[in-house]
Amino acid sequence: MEDPGQSVVSAGYDAVYAATPNSPTLRRLWHLHAEGPDFPEEFGHVSFVTLDQLRRMATELRLGPGQTLVDLGCGRGGPALWMARETGANLIGVDLSSVAVQQAGARAAELGLAGQARFVVGTFADTGLQAGSADGAMSEDAIQYVPDKRAALAEAARILRPGARLVFTAFELDAERSAGLPAWGADPVGDYRPLLTEAGFSVDTYEEAPGWPEPVTATYSALLDSSEELKREMGEMAAQALFLELTMTLQQKPYRRRVLAVATRA
Ligand SMILES: C[S@@+](CC[C@H](N)C(=O)[O-])C[C@H]1O[C@@H](n2cnc3c(N)ncnc32)[C@H](O)[C@@H]1O
């Protein structure tokens, strides 16, 4: 049976993604405060990945044309499509939200990358991909929502071939402050390193990532300050789903840090 926290996450993201194309305010504020002025708008996202960070992730992934890259929790596919274009790798994006997957596929076609990218509905713990089929995997600010992070990292190890790298940004969770919260409270991992090792990775890099905490606070506060415009553009339900996450993050402070991890599959 699907974890109830996971259903809350997928319903919330489905609503927000469905409303995103109608909300220039959401896009404008995310670009201004989270992406930064140099981030190419056609690859826009809802994480906190900057262009510098994506370039760093590309270097760490060490991928080339024709190799297979998987993005876990890919959302509407922006950062992963940038990575596919940059490296020439063939991309498979996986996300819980069927709306995200449909929009990511449409975006790949618009960007002329349809032949190089496909997107599937799946979870971190159950991607549906073949064992040893990926030459690299990435993830941007998604794993903190996963109800069983051990299972997620075991699945990443399963789909990667030996020697392949997993490169991700994620929020570490504070167990006390996330207790009782949907999704975050289910498995509040404060350090992903022991789980990576247990799953069969060697940890090459684990560091605090730029994008913490100022851009998170600035982005979420700016969105809450524009709640009336957002409700008008997105509709009440999608806006409320968005505000719930923003408010809980700012008030409960479930995150310890935002980290960048690079790990190699043994
Ligand atoms: C903050 S968004 C980031 C999306 C994308 N990486 C980006 O940069 O725009 C987090 C994403 O994780 C997805 N997600 C959350 N829990 C998941 C799970 N258990 N399995 C797969 N995807 C999940 C959500 O649907 C959402 O698209």
Side-chain angles (χ1 to χ4, degrees):
M1 203 182 77
E2 195 179 311
D3 180 277
Q6 202 161 265
S7 316
V8 172
V9 173
S10 68
Y13 270 102
D14 274 347
V16 171
Y17 286 136
T20 298
N22 306 324
S23 183
T25 303
L26 175 59
R27 272 280 75 239
R28 180 173 59 77
L29 294 175
W30 208 275
H31 184 69
L32 186 66
H33 297 286
E35 293 168 357
D38 59 348
F39 199 92
E41 299 224 28
E42 66 275 26
F43 296 102
H45 57 62
V46 288
S47 60
F48 290 90
V49 168
T50 60
L51 187 56
D52 277 353
Q53 230 162 29
L54 263 187
R55 290 191 179 122
R56 165 88 187 277
M57 290 171 91
T59 305
E60 301 288 4
L61 277 166
R62 302 176 178 165
L63 289 173
Q67 291 194 296
T68 298
L69 165 68
V70 175
D71 185 18
L72 298 163
C74 63
R76 302 174 69 238
L81 285 165
W82 180 94
M83 194 66 78
R85 192 193 60 175
E86 199 67 11
T87 61
N90 294 318
L91 167 67
I92 305 171
V94 180
D95 200 281
L96 186 62
S97 159
S98 57
V99 176
V101 163
Q102 184 271 322
Q103 292 185 355
R107 193 182 219 187
E110 275 163 30
L111 292 165
L113 291 165
Q116 208 184 317
R118 71 185 172 94
F119 295 90
V120 296
V121 176
T123 65
F124 268 83
D126 184 9
T127 61
L129 305 179
Q130 272 185 7
S133 59
D135 301 295
M138 65 189 284
S139 183
E140 318 79 59
D141 302 337
I143 196 168
Q144 66 275 357
Y145 301 112
V146 171
D148 182 347
K149 291 166 181 77
R150 265 190 184 79
L153 293 173
E155 175 71 351
R158 188 189 70 78
I159 63 171
L160 285 167
R161 63 159 171 77
R165 284 183 138 186
L166 168 66
V167 179
F168 67 87
T169 58
F171 291 95
E172 295 174 336
L173 290 154
D174 180 294
E176 227 169 86
R177 294 197 300 255
S178 39
L181 295 179
W184 296 314
D187 183 16
V189 169
D191 184 343
Y192 294 97
R193 280 171 291 193
L195 275 65
L196 283 163
T197 308
E198 200 182 296
F201 288 97
S202 61
V203 180
D204 304 303
T205 301
Y206 192 86
E207 62 193 30
E208 186 162 317
W212 173 255
E214 293 80 10
V216 176
T217 311
T219 307
Y220 287 9
S221 306
L223 289 167
L224 287 170
D225 286 346
S226 299
S227 57
E228 288 311 312
E229 279 134 284
L230 289 168
K231 273 193 252 174
R232 253 196 322 274
E233 293 172 1
M234 300 176 72
E236 187 74 25
M237 205 188 94
Q240 290 304 347
L242 177 67
F243 299 158
L244 182 68
E245 170 153 10
L246 308 181
T247 310
M248 278 195 306
T249 307
L250 293 178
Q251 288 179 358
Q252 308 282 327
K253 300 189 175 17
Y255 297 143
R256 285 184 66 217
R257 295 194 302 168
R258 179 168 179 263
V259 293
L260 169 76
V262 179
T264 303
R265 160 85 159 83

